[in-house]
Amino acid sequence: MAPKHTRYLDFPCFALNWGEHGRVMISGGGGGAQYGIVNCLSVFQVNNLEKPTTLTAVLKENTQDNIVTNITYSRERRLYACSLGGNCRLFFLNKEGEAKELVQFQTDFAAEPYQKAVRFSSSGDLLATAGEDGTLRLWQLSAEHVEGQDHSVPIAAPKLLHSCTGHTKAVNDIDFSPDGSLVCTSSFDLSCLIFAVASGLCIKRLTFAVANGPNLIFRGCRFSKDGQYLFTVQTPPRGSAYITQWTVGTDFAALKTVVAHLKPISAFTISEDSIYLGVGTNDGAVKIFCANSLACLNERKPHEMPVTNVSFGMEKRPVALLSGSADYTYHFLPIAKGFSLITLLVLLLLIALAVLMTLKFHFKMDVGF
């Protein structure tokens, strides 16, 4: 049975993004209307930004035969970018919450094209895409790629700056450093590569193994807000998964590594303030870690199938981690563990006893005098 605050969608969740003002974008489907489950991109509103538990549907767009598998948002451009097969789609939401497309362009050129990752730079000027063909592509956005741009006339795709090679298998995640000078990519080829944005060249290759065992798959990568650290998750096909904190510099030394879960990790993110890390796992668990100590702060198992995506909100301070799964469920995991009623009663009882003991001690002192 799912935990108390696990909620249900009317479609399997494949990607989600929790943006500004409590707006949540969720995509999913099941192959199209002919299979009984329409492929869609849906907009929701969080019910309570302080203690979120549910989402209210705003609008749903039928994406026909295409399933959106990755969603990212630029606060500066107020634009969304998503993966649609081998293409990247740039769009914004109008006042009614409707998705208005600016442009769609091909970013992956494998035999079966599939863009697996997309990410804006913090300034919103650059876009990084990667996928099945293993090539990282960096794109320059122009002044017309902004929210509300008149798209009654065709808008050109962003300008391709670099095609960055180095991976031998598909790329599954991307992130920019805060100053936009570096891009990291994690891949199924058992490596995490660091590229210089200015040149498009790979400047560092990271690998990870445990106790002289085989190298593990990098399943996610995120820079910290101050640019001093890189966080990655490493996972085998089966068995324990790990989180590693690396220094950012010429050496990219591994500072800390912890066992994050006893099963593979399927989703990874970092909060806007870089205080928290969020992971989702293959067995349906969701966890929040302290980025500084890598200690686990809260965890639950709200899903019956692998977690497909996790996202912290973009409000003033993160309060929960939103997760989704192909089992039709979504869940808000609070940052800190809550007290059960029994725990709260025990604490109140202890406080009452402490007060009584203090009063008794003072009473004896008064009598003595």
Side-chain angles (χ1 to χ4, degrees):
M1 181 179 294
K4 179 180 178 182
H5 295 301
T6 296
R7 309 298 186 187
Y8 287 86
L9 301 164
D10 58 1
F11 56 86
C13 172
F14 292 144
L16 59 82
N17 179 274
W18 184 354
E20 294 181 286
H21 313 302
R23 280 286 173 88
V24 174
M25 191 81 63
I26 301 181
S27 68
Q34 65 269 33
Y35 297 99
I37 304 176
V38 174
N39 296 327
C40 62
L41 182 64
S42 298
V43 181
F44 295 86
Q45 183 67 38
V46 177
N47 69 320
N48 184 332
L49 294 180
E50 291 299 318
K51 295 181 179 180
T53 57
T54 60
L55 297 172
T56 300
V58 178
L59 282 170
K60 179 187 290 187
E61 176 193 4
N62 189 332
T63 57
Q64 306 301 328
D65 295 331
N66 297 307
I67 295 179
V68 173
T69 54
N70 199 279
I71 307 171
T72 190
Y73 177 72
S74 170
R75 190 194 299 270
E76 287 67 28
R77 297 264 172 175
R78 304 187 74 83
L79 279 185
Y80 288 89
C82 68
S83 302
L84 206 62
N87 294 347
C88 182
R89 181 193 189 198
L90 293 180
F91 65 96
F92 65 94
L93 297 181
N94 63 14
K95 293 180 180 179
E96 290 72 36
E98 298 172 316
K100 296 297 182 180
E101 181 176 302
L102 288 183
V103 66
Q104 189 175 149
F105 54 101
Q106 188 169 358
T107 63
D108 192 82
F109 298 88
E112 296 183 6
Y114 183 15
Q115 176 184 286
K116 291 179 176 287
V118 58
R119 192 82 170 164
F120 288 102
S121 63
S122 58
S123 67
D125 295 329
L126 300 175
L127 184 73
T129 63
E132 194 64 35
D133 67 4
T135 299
L136 167 70
R137 291 178 173 85
L138 300 177
W139 309 82
Q140 178 73 56
L141 278 71
S142 67
E144 62 184 358
H145 299 119
V146 294
E147 178 194 29
Q149 174 69 35
D150 178 15
H151 54 100
S152 59
V153 294
I155 292 178
K159 178 184 177 182
L160 179 63
L161 296 179
H162 299 295
S163 293
C164 311
T165 58
H167 287 297
T168 58
K169 291 185 179 180
V171 173
N172 54 52
D173 201 11
I174 306 170
D175 197 28
F176 280 97
S177 62
D179 62 2
S181 65
L182 302 174
V183 178
C184 61
T185 54
S186 58
S187 170
F188 293 104
D189 68 1
L190 314 182
S191 71
C192 178
L193 301 185
I194 314 298
F195 294 90
V197 170
S199 65
L201 298 177
C202 178
I203 60 172
K204 190 69 177 181
R205 181 185 182 89
L206 304 178
T207 58
F208 180 88
V210 179
N212 298 319
N215 288 343
L216 301 185
I217 296 170
F218 281 83
R219 194 59 185 81
C221 52
R222 287 291 184 271
F223 283 102
S224 62
K225 186 178 182 179
D226 59 11
Q228 295 185 27
Y229 305 107
L230 172 67
F231 298 93
T232 62
V233 292
Q234 301 82 234
T235 182
R238 296 181 182 83
S240 298
Y242 302 83
I243 297 178
T244 299
Q245 181 190 53
W246 312 76
T247 58
V248 174
T250 56
D251 56 347
F252 277 86
L255 290 180
K256 303 174 187 175
T257 295
V258 298
V259 176
H261 197 62
L262 299 181
K263 297 288 180 66
I265 287 174
S266 54
F268 179 59
T269 192
I270 191 170
S271 62
E272 285 278 299
D273 55 12
S274 296
I275 294 178
Y276 307 107
L277 305 174
V279 302
T281 71
N282 274 7
D283 62 346
V286 183
K287 295 185 174 185
I288 297 173
F289 291 83
C290 171
N292 183 47
S293 65
L294 300 188
C296 183
L297 302 177
N298 202 1
E299 61 180 298
R300 285 179 189 164
K301 190 177 182 296
H303 308 287
E304 298 300 324
M305 295 178 65
V307 177
T308 51
N309 223 288
V310 290
S311 180
F312 288 104
M314 297 180 72
E315 312 307 328
K316 292 182 179 180
R317 60 182 179 86
V319 295
L321 178 67
L322 174 62
S323 59
S325 171
D327 64 2
Y328 292 71
T329 61
Y330 69 88
H331 185 82
F332 287 97
L333 177 66
I335 295 295
K337 293 181 179 179
F339 289 109
S340 67
L341 180 59
I342 294 176
T343 303
L344 184 60
L345 290 174
V346 170
L347 287 175
L348 291 174
L349 180 61
L350 290 174
I351 292 172
L353 287 173
V355 171
L356 288 173
M357 292 297 292
T358 302
L359 291 174
K360 185 176 180 181
F361 174 77
H362 284 294
F363 178 75
K364 285 185 175 180
M365 292 291 288
D366 290 340
V367 172
F369 283 107

